[in-house]
Amino acid sequence: MIEIQRRPAGDTSGFSSQLPPLLQRIYAHRGIQSEQELERSAKGLLSYQALHGIDDAIALLLEALTAQQRIIVVGDFDADGATSSALSVLALRQLGSNNVDYLVPNRFEDGYGLSPEVVEQAIAKGAEVIMTVDNGVSSLSGVAAAKAHGLKVLITDHHLPGESLPDADAIVNPNLHECDFPSKALCGVGVAFYLMLALRAELRQRNWFKEQGIAEPNLANLLDLVALGTVADVVALDGNNRILVHQGLQRIRAGQCRPGIQALIEVANRDQSRLVTSDLGFALGPRINAAGRLEDMSHGVELLMCEEINLARQLASELDGLNQTRKEIEQGMKEEAVAICERLQLGEEMPCGIVLHQSDWHQGVIGILASRIKDQYHRPVIAFADGGDGLIKGSCRSIPGLHMRDILDLIDTQNPGMILKFGGHAMAAGLTIPRDKLHAFSAAFDSAVRQEVDEASLRGVILSDGELAGHELTLQTAEMLRQAGPWGQAFPEPIFDGEFRVLQQRLVGGKHLKLMLEPLSQGGAGQMIDAIAFNVDLRRWPDASVTRIQLAYRLDINIFRGNESVQLMVEHIEPC
């Protein structure tokens, strides 16, 4: 059951009359109280100086650069990890390191983070210094192994720390309890970018670039990677992250991006000059992630570091093929998962927390599967796949108001030994349990969720910014909204609701509903508006008996053969 709720009115008194009333309303709905909070220029970025541990990290890297010590960057196998790895290697080289390389753990063989096995791989690459990106804050045994071999360890991460921190030489993570950095929403690539800014400032102070005879790099040229990783990791777009993403998008639109990103845009058939955050999140990010899900994320890192466009196009094409394979695997898994959920619904009561497992599910795709099932059933979901040696590995996705990592921590406290390891944050997490504990874990998860949520939390809710009048359903409004972002997690793209008369309806592509509508809002009489609803329930649509509908929709611009027209992107549709 989906319910459309209008956002409560916000305070618009802090906005000037120059800001259009519609934008005042939308921004106020998102907690913005003044136009100063909408700053998108680089000068509005927070200072790196508030990051706890930044001085220790700079000192470690200074020593490594001065002595040309071998630095191995250890990343993660998602888009944030890939962009973090690429950015760190590129920046360190630009800052004067001639001895830096990267290593990404294999999802299936090594698991997540800096494990002792990954340390051995780093040593085989000649590591003297290990720098983690987008991981490491929970890698106690891996850091201990590295220190036992005499390596220096620098951790850069953004995930929530556990009760104990690893014994690293330096840790930079805005979510450390002792860190006063105002934004806790930086992702891995954001932390790495800040560290490189801090290192450059120190090198500049020491006259390093002149002494080495190298040009001081413009690190802003790496903001395309920061934007991609930030959006793909679905972290909150607070004011600082919005600046990072906006600046990166501006460079991409102007053609000032890395060849790998340009090649991804081409293979995804997007217009580079009009790229928006949703393109990063739903077109580019999944193609990078496909490498880590199905094979080896080093393919993604190599693409992002690539300097030659023809090679980049070849690598992007390979990732596109992997992503297509991922979609096919995902579709089969989703059909099986839905069948399991339908059987659960036939029982006495649908679980509040859904746990799913099939022995042949692909370990690299269970995260997407959990997200899809969470969206369909409006419940927190954990999907498990076999991890070998009698273990199963789970990927968790939560709903608003339920902190997934805290739930896992609660279960771990109440049931010692049930969870072998876990980590993550509020909306997503991962864990490993013995296969024979699955039934007990399912019961414990459902019980823990029931303690934290009520029935209202388990209903699907679409938050609307209200109704658009007929005179607002225009190209000008759509373009204004496009430029008013960047939109994303915790700063969502505007959604509107309203009633419409159905003039035409038909299926396109076998599963998408194409509509021609007349708005029933004030001033809408006589207008004809195009709309499309993707992946509709074919048991309900099209329905010729339905002549009036209620929609929740986003206002978009459709470009066809060079002509632009307003189009409603339907989020939800119900007969009136």
Side-chain angles (χ1 to χ4, degrees):
M1 179 67 183
I2 299 285
E3 180 181 343
I4 299 172
Q5 292 181 4
R6 290 190 175 174
R7 296 178 183 272
D11 180 9
T12 61
S13 61
F15 298 122
S16 72
S17 58
Q18 271 73 44
L19 192 67
L22 177 59
L23 287 185
Q24 292 187 32
R25 180 174 104 203
I26 290 167
Y27 287 141
H29 285 164
R30 284 147 186 78
I32 301 296
Q33 296 181 325
S34 72
E35 286 163 71
Q36 285 69 41
E37 295 177 63
L38 300 171
E39 174 68 63
R40 297 188 299 187
S41 67
K43 68 181 182 182
L45 284 172
L46 297 168
S47 169
Y48 59 79
Q49 292 171 330
L51 280 165
H52 184 271
I54 197 78
D55 291 336
D56 291 337
I58 292 170
L60 189 155
L61 290 176
L62 272 173
E63 181 183 346
L65 283 177
T66 303
Q68 286 298 326
Q69 294 173 346
R70 180 73 163 162
I71 304 171
I72 299 297
V73 175
V74 177
D76 185 23
F77 36 67
D78 65 1
D80 187 16
T83 52
S84 303
S85 299
L87 180 142
S88 298
V89 172
L90 290 167
L92 286 169
R93 287 175 179 169
Q94 292 173 21
L95 291 167
S97 173
N98 301 318
N99 205 4
V100 59
D101 200 356
Y102 73 92
L103 170 64
V104 181
N106 184 287
R107 180 191 294 266
F108 313 107
E109 297 171 7
D110 303 317
Y112 171 79
L114 183 67
S115 64
E117 295 78 13
V118 172
V119 170
E120 292 295 333
Q121 295 173 37
I123 291 172
K125 279 181 166 280
E128 296 172 271
V129 176
I130 288 178
M131 172 181 166
T132 71
V133 290
D134 191 33
N135 75 93
V137 77
S138 60
S139 300
L140 278 70
S141 60
V143 171
K147 299 296 290 180
H149 283 91
L151 276 64
K152 295 286 184 67
V153 182
L154 162 59
I155 288 173
T156 73
D157 201 352
H158 71 114
H159 294 97
L160 298 175
E163 290 184 11
S164 302
L165 292 175
D167 184 27
D169 295 277
I171 302 178
V172 182
N173 180 339
N175 284 302
L176 292 181
H177 302 304
E178 58 268 40
C179 187
D180 294 327
F181 191 73
S183 171
K184 304 302 180 183
L186 276 182
C187 66
V189 71
V191 176
F193 179 69
Y194 262 87
L195 176 56
M196 294 303 138
L197 290 178
L199 178 58
R200 183 185 64 177
E202 182 65 25
L203 291 171
R204 181 191 297 143
Q205 184 103 8
R206 291 172 178 252
N207 209 25
W208 165 267
F209 300 109
K210 186 174 182 180
E211 290 179 359
Q212 298 297 313
I214 58 177
E216 181 177 323
N218 178 10
L219 296 181
N221 289 334
L222 299 175
L223 281 166
D224 54 350
L225 294 172
V226 180
L228 175 56
T230 299
V231 174
D233 210 46
V234 204
V235 292
L237 289 195
D238 62 4
N240 202 59
N241 276 342
R242 289 201 301 277
I243 294 174
L244 291 171
V245 171
H246 174 75
Q247 290 295 320
L249 277 173
Q250 290 290 87
R251 283 164 172 75
I252 294 171
R253 290 169 183 158
Q256 298 171 356
C257 64
R258 298 204 56 76
I261 289 182
Q262 180 185 333
L264 283 173
I265 293 168
E266 291 174 0
V267 81
N269 198 28
R270 293 300 193 271
D271 182 348
Q272 183 168 338
S273 67
R274 296 178 59 81
L275 207 75
V276 292
T277 49
S278 58
D279 295 319
L280 297 178
F282 297 110
L284 276 61
R287 287 170 167 83
I288 292 287
N289 278 325
R293 293 188 188 284
L294 301 188
E295 289 192 4
D296 183 346
M297 183 46 94
S298 61
H299 299 316
V301 180
E302 286 299 314
L303 170 66
L304 296 174
M305 291 176 55
C306 180
E307 301 289 353
E308 203 277 310
I309 187 60
N310 288 326
L311 176 58
R313 285 169 175 150
Q314 178 185 331
L315 293 170
S317 179
E318 292 171 3
L319 290 186
D320 187 53
L322 280 176
N323 193 49
Q324 189 57 44
T325 301
R326 185 271 305 167
K327 288 181 181 179
E328 293 165 3
I329 294 171
E330 178 199 331
Q331 182 59 35
M333 289 168 56
K334 184 182 177 185
E335 289 172 0
E336 294 174 347
V338 168
I340 294 171
C341 290
E342 288 179 346
R343 288 198 296 272
L344 290 173
Q345 283 183 307
L346 292 175
E348 292 184 6
E349 189 175 9
M350 182 77 166
C352 289
I354 298 175
V355 175
L356 303 166
H357 171 249
Q358 289 276 83
S359 59
D360 60 346
W361 278 354
H362 196 294
Q363 195 183 123
V365 186
I366 52 174
I368 300 178
L369 176 68
S371 183
R372 300 282 190 261
I373 298 301
K374 180 264 297 183
D375 289 343
Q376 184 162 341
Y377 290 94
H378 319 297
R379 282 161 161 70
V381 175
I382 304 179
F384 282 99
D386 281 7
D389 298 325
L391 305 178
I392 54 177
K393 296 184 177 182
S395 193
C396 322
R397 296 296 183 269
S398 194
I399 57 175
L402 183 76
H403 197 296
M404 183 58 77
R405 190 193 178 282
D406 287 355
I407 286 290
L408 295 180
D409 193 31
L410 174 66
I411 295 171
D412 186 47
T413 301
Q414 295 177 343
N415 304 271
M418 178 180 283
I419 301 177
L420 300 180
K421 59 181 179 179
F422 69 94
H425 41 83
M427 299 305 289
L431 76 162
T432 301
I433 66 172
R435 186 188 294 117
D436 59 12
K437 300 281 189 183
L438 177 64
H439 183 73
F441 175 81
S442 300
F445 181 61
D446 184 46
S447 174
V449 172
R450 287 180 186 277
Q451 294 174 38
E452 298 294 324
V453 302
D454 54 23
E455 275 302 312
S457 303
L458 301 177
R459 286 199 298 269
V461 174
I462 294 176
L463 293 175
S464 165
D465 289 290
E467 188 174 48
L468 289 179
H471 72 272
E472 294 176 307
L473 291 165
T474 64
L475 278 171
Q476 290 75 16
T477 303
E479 186 61 39
M480 178 182 73
L481 295 175
R482 174 184 280 266
Q483 298 299 326
W487 309 107
Q489 182 72 12
F491 198 76
E493 184 176 356
I495 290 179
F496 307 99
D497 70 274
E499 293 187 7
F500 295 83
R501 180 173 290 107
V502 180
L503 306 177
Q504 297 175 20
Q505 54 176 305
R506 60 187 174 89
L507 280 183
V508 294
K511 54 184 179 180
H512 313 308
L513 186 66
K514 187 83 165 165
L515 298 155
M516 187 61 70
L517 306 172
E518 179 186 10
L520 296 176
S521 57
Q522 181 182 1
Q527 279 185 268
M528 293 177 64
I529 301 286
D530 187 50
I532 188 162
F534 290 106
N535 300 307
V536 294
D537 185 345
L538 298 178
R539 295 168 298 183
R540 299 184 62 195
W541 304 101
D543 184 347
S545 69
V546 174
T547 58
R548 285 169 63 113
I549 54 174
Q550 182 185 37
L551 294 184
Y553 64 89
R554 291 179 289 111
L555 196 64
D556 198 21
I557 298 173
N558 183 41
I559 303 176
F560 183 66
R561 294 177 179 171
N563 295 317
E564 295 185 350
S565 60
V566 175
Q567 185 174 51
L568 310 187
M569 309 298 288
V570 176
E571 297 287 327
H572 182 65
I573 178 172
E574 283 290 339
C576 290

